[in-house]
Amino acid sequence: MNERSSRSHSVFTLRISGSNAATGERCDGALNLVDLAGSERLNASGAGADKDRLRETQSINRSLSALGDVIAALGQAAPGQHIPYRNSKLTYLLQNSLSGNSKTLVRGIIIRHCFDAKLLLAADDAQFVATRGTSQ
């Protein structure tokens, strides 16, 4: 584990509204900037000795797993298929950014000594997600 790590996810949401006085048109948008904590192996991180760190690590790993499940489901989605957004607070919060009228960019930074194949698989699944815009 990185000793400088915050060990949490961060989500910054910027909501923007605009209107055209001449036509009366109005549009709303949101920009989510998300910094995800990395997953950890409990034995390698030493989190098993401290109950608070153990719970924190398990919670982070659970939410990352739920995000991977949502991305995988979106990549294979058939019309009407259930997408498990409610499996974690993170995926529920990002539901509008991952579907509907949205554009999503996933960027994974891999450090050689912290390599995790799951990150590559999730990034690979993310490339197959296609959202469909609708007129509102």
Side-chain angles (χ1 to χ4, degrees), residues 19-95:
S19 61
N20 185 331
T23 63
E25 283 186 71
R26 181 174 169 79
C27 64
D28 298 303
L31 172 67
N32 287 310
L33 301 174
V34 181
D35 179 21
L36 299 173
S39 64
E40 292 183 7
R41 288 184 167 64
L42 293 176
N43 294 339
S45 68
D50 181 6
K51 287 183 182 181
D52 289 334
R53 272 187 56 198
L54 174 64
R55 260 186 256 123
E56 181 181 66
T57 300
Q58 288 173 332
S59 179
I60 288 168
N61 290 346
R62 209 172 14 256
S63 66
L64 290 172
S65 178
L67 180 60
D69 292 344
V70 167
I71 290 171
L74 286 168
Q76 303 166 358
Q81 178 183 349
H82 172 71
I83 308 296
Y85 292 114
R86 292 185 176 221
N87 287 358
S88 83
K89 290 178 185 177
L90 177 67
T91 55
Y92 186 71
L93 178 67
L94 296 176
Q95 180 175 354

Side-chain angles (χ1 to χ4, degrees), residues 70-134:
V70 167
I71 290 171
L74 286 168
Q76 303 166 358
Q81 178 183 349
H82 172 71
I83 308 296
Y85 292 114
R86 292 185 176 221
N87 287 358
S88 83
K89 290 178 185 177
L90 177 67
T91 55
Y92 186 71
L93 178 67
L94 296 176
Q95 180 175 354
N96 290 334
S97 295
L98 295 171
S99 64
N101 285 342
S102 64
K103 300 241 186 241
T104 302
L105 171 69
V106 176
R107 184 173 184 186
I109 299 173
I110 300 172
I111 301 168
R112 189 180 319 167
H113 68 278
C114 299
F115 177 77
D116 186 358
K118 288 181 184 178
L119 177 61
L120 286 179
L121 293 173
D124 187 52
D125 284 343
Q127 71 179 330
F128 299 110
V129 174
T131 58
R132 291 166 190 82
T134 57

